[in-house]
Amino acid sequence: MYGGGSSGTQSKRDMAIEYQAQIPILRPSIHARRANMTVKFQDLYGFTVEGNVDDVNVLNDVREKVREQGKVWWELECSKGPNWYLEDSHVFSSFMNGITLKRLIRKGIPPNLRPTVWFSLSGAAKKKSTVPDSYYRDLTSAVEDKITPATKQIDHDLPRTFPGHSWLDTPEGHAALRRVLVGYSFRDSDVGYCQGLNYVAALLLLVMKTEEDAFWMLAVLLENVLVNDCYTSNLSGCHVEQRVFKDLLTKKCPRIAAHLEAMDFDVSLVCTEWFLCLYSKSLPSETTMRIWDVLFYEGAKVLFNVALAVFKMNEEELLRAHHVGDVINVIQRTTHHLFDPDELLTVAFEKLGFMITTNISKQRKKQEPAVMAELDQRVRRLNSLNGDDKQ
Amino acid sequence: MASSGNKNINAKLVLLGDVATGKSSLVLRFVKGQFVEFQESTIGAAFFSQTVAVNDATVKFEIWDTAGQERYHSLAPMYYRGAAAAIIVYDITNQASFDRAKKWVQELQAQGNPNMVMALAGNKSDLLDARKVAAEEAQTYAQENGLFFMETSAKTATNVNDVFYEIAKRLPRLQQAPNPSGMVLVDRPADRATGASCCS
Ligand SMILES: Nc1nc2c(ncn2[C@@H]2O[C@H](COP(=O)(O)OP(=O)(O)O)[C@@H](O)[C@H]2O)c(=O)[nH]1
Ligand SMILES: [Mg+2]
């Protein structure tokens, strides 16, 4: 499958597309059905998934839906021309396209169009166009032999990033991921390398046509799509997002929020990983990709919609939970088995009522000082402890 | 906090320590009895639970295996808040990891639950040839700071379950008759300047 050829990312990518076109319908054996056993299979992006027979059936349905959605996009290209979604010469048509596009994207970008659509809609193409063509090549070759704390951490993490994946966990996969992460660590020395980005970059590599495009997607993500400072020194941006999210949960799912609060369960215990890895570690790959489809078009608040949806979908069960472990189990059981992206996205975008982006920006502004004060206080406290030490 | 039903105690336990000291390996060994060279790395912390029986009670550990670079330490309070126990892990082949462990101890003493049971685990005890931290030094430090100390190996399983059992034995069973089975309580000054102000 992935990485079968040795001639670089391009060939891997072609094979991936080909592979998708020939996905066989999975047919669990009659024995598996009878015994309700778990079966192992590879999903669209080459991950080994363990699931029961129902999961396999869901995945087959999802594949069918992906095909249908592909036809819709194909017909649009036929009637509106290729790259119609970039059209902004006429205000009116672009407005109409905007509405159509938002709806379409929430229904999913077909996997074979993802690389191009993401690249243009996210702003990555524009970002890339402002520097010389040789930028990525020059960057990676200039830093290839440098050793920094970032590169050491990256090297430590390479074999720990989706171990067992058919392409990522090969020398070729490790090398590509390393170039992207090391390259970025030199592009932005404030971020350098932050753990979590390895998962994000790995999935970008699986989706994008070239390693270079994956690099630019990572850049646009960190520099434009997500809030500032999510990954820098003390993850302050992530702390801000956690607080904004807690307020949203209280507003949108008050019963759950109150119940968890009474149990002393801090929702950040589960949300931190979601927000830092953009769900790549918690959800099946196509479901994650569907979230990223919307993320690149609508922005970081999408992460909140999804988190709220996960809680909302489990409201009754969560209200019955009385221990931390129960809450975690409910959440993990759901996220790991969300093979049908629409199940999640329908709740995320249709069942939660309006979430206005400007309000969220205001909330972020409001939380920032509190977060800074809290982080500052911790550092000062620790410093004073170490000071005592020396006396 | 350790909360007790009749004889079932739920205890939140947090593992802290430098990157690559073997926190995740210890947990995996304790919870699943396995050792895996390359595990998927954890972001923030991973949750596990495991029950042990001690004397007349069962203790269900709710374990938070924290992870990450220095910048992730800003998240630590969320994991140790309200914890009944902590295992602070260092790597016996790495002096810097021992120094870092001491800082965690300080932070917990200042911010954590004053009744928290703390264990110091010198991990990778199978790598004797590469030892950099003497067992005596760690033992002395632990004694002075009211922790109990063990050298462990997640790889060979040496002392891994023992650390968790020892913690279970030392947990104060809050609402129950005081110390029915000659339980050893942690020896630590109850009165510290910052002891009362819990984490923000
Ligand atoms: N020899 C030896 N290696 C260990 C032991 N425990 C962990 N390791 C290795 O040390 C590395 C880091 O372990 P890990 O559990 O991921 O550390 P963490 O970052 O603290 O969670 C891995 O390569 C483990 O295989 C041990 O007891 N002995
Ligand atoms: Mg770990």
Side-chain angles (χ1 to χ4, degrees), chain A residues 286-305:
Chain A
E286 177 61 14
T287 307
T288 306
M289 295 300 95
R290 286 284 303 277
I291 295 167
W292 291 16
D293 286 346
V294 193
L295 172 70
F296 289 127
Y297 190 56
E298 297 187 35
K301 61 137 200 186
V302 164
L303 303 176
F304 295 142
N305 286 74

Side-chain angles (χ1 to χ4, degrees), chain A residues 75-270:
Chain A
E75 278 160 21
L76 274 164
E77 294 226 338
C78 290
S79 68
K80 295 188 182 223
N83 298 343
W84 60 275
Y85 40 85
L86 295 181
E87 186 82 56
D88 55 7
S89 44
H90 308 292
V91 176
F92 180 70
S93 86
S94 107
F95 176 72
M96 290 305 289
N97 281 352
I99 293 177
T100 318
L101 194 54
K102 186 164 163 180
R103 239 188 358 236
L104 261 181
I105 286 178
R106 287 182 175 191
K107 285 197 169 163
I109 302 171
N112 59 341
L113 288 180
R114 250 178 209 138
T116 32
V117 178
W118 281 8
F119 204 61
S120 43
L121 290 183
S122 65
K126 196 164 158 211
K127 195 176 267 296
K128 183 184 172 190
S129 71
T130 61
V131 296
D133 275 349
S134 59
Y135 178 96
Y136 183 68
R137 208 170 349 115
D138 296 346
L139 175 67
T140 46
S141 64
V143 303
E144 168 172 54
D145 299 322
K146 297 223 158 84
I147 297 174
T148 64
T151 66
K152 282 188 204 151
Q153 187 66 52
I154 291 166
D155 286 328
H156 178 78
D157 286 349
L158 290 175
R160 291 179 170 70
T161 310
F162 299 125
H165 184 277
S166 50
W167 180 73
L168 288 168
D169 199 4
T170 62
E172 194 195 339
H174 289 178
L177 183 57
R178 184 178 200 282
R179 281 189 297 271
V180 171
L181 291 172
V182 170
Y184 195 81
S185 77
F186 282 91
R187 175 180 167 92
D188 183 343
S189 54
D190 284 342
V191 173
Y193 169 67
C194 179
Q195 291 181 301
L197 294 179
N198 50 328
Y199 296 102
V200 174
L203 280 198
L204 287 172
L205 276 169
L206 291 183
V207 174
M208 301 308 289
K209 281 192 174 133
T210 64
E211 182 187 311
E212 182 173 1
D213 286 359
F215 171 85
W216 287 110
M217 288 304 296
L218 184 65
V220 84
L221 195 56
L222 298 192
E223 293 159 22
N224 306 88
V225 177
L226 300 176
V227 299
N228 287 337
D229 289 320
C230 267
Y231 299 96
T232 54
S233 65
N234 46 23
L235 313 178
S236 62
C238 179
H239 285 270
V240 171
E241 294 296 82
Q242 299 296 343
R243 281 167 170 254
V244 174
F245 177 71
K246 278 175 205 165
D247 283 352
L248 272 174
L249 188 74
T250 308
K251 279 204 197 86
K252 299 281 180 184
C253 310
R255 291 169 68 208
I256 301 178
H259 181 72
L260 295 181
E261 168 117 40
M263 282 173 59
D264 240 345
F265 186 93
D266 183 342
V267 291
S268 300
L269 293 170
V270 291

Side-chain angles (χ1 to χ4, degrees), chain B residues 119-190:
Chain B
L120 180 67
N123 191 39
K124 309 199 187 179
S125 64
D126 54 295
L127 300 177
L128 275 180
D129 292 343
R131 176 192 287 281
K132 293 276 158 45
V133 183
E136 297 73 33
E137 185 187 352
Q139 176 68 59
T140 309
Y141 172 81
Q143 236 154 23
E144 285 169 4
N145 287 274
L147 291 77
F148 76 88
F149 167 69
M150 279 186 193
E151 287 197 342
T152 56
S153 169
K155 188 167 185 173
T156 65
T158 310
N159 274 347
V160 177
N161 290 348
D162 310 59
V163 172
F164 288 90
Y165 276 95
E166 190 58 33
I167 289 176
K169 279 196 250 160
R170 292 178 183 224
L171 287 173
R173 292 174 213 178
L174 300 173
Q175 295 87 347
Q176 309 240 299
N179 207 7
S181 52
M183 194 168 41
V184 191
L185 287 173
V186 195
D187 169 34
R188 194 174 323 128

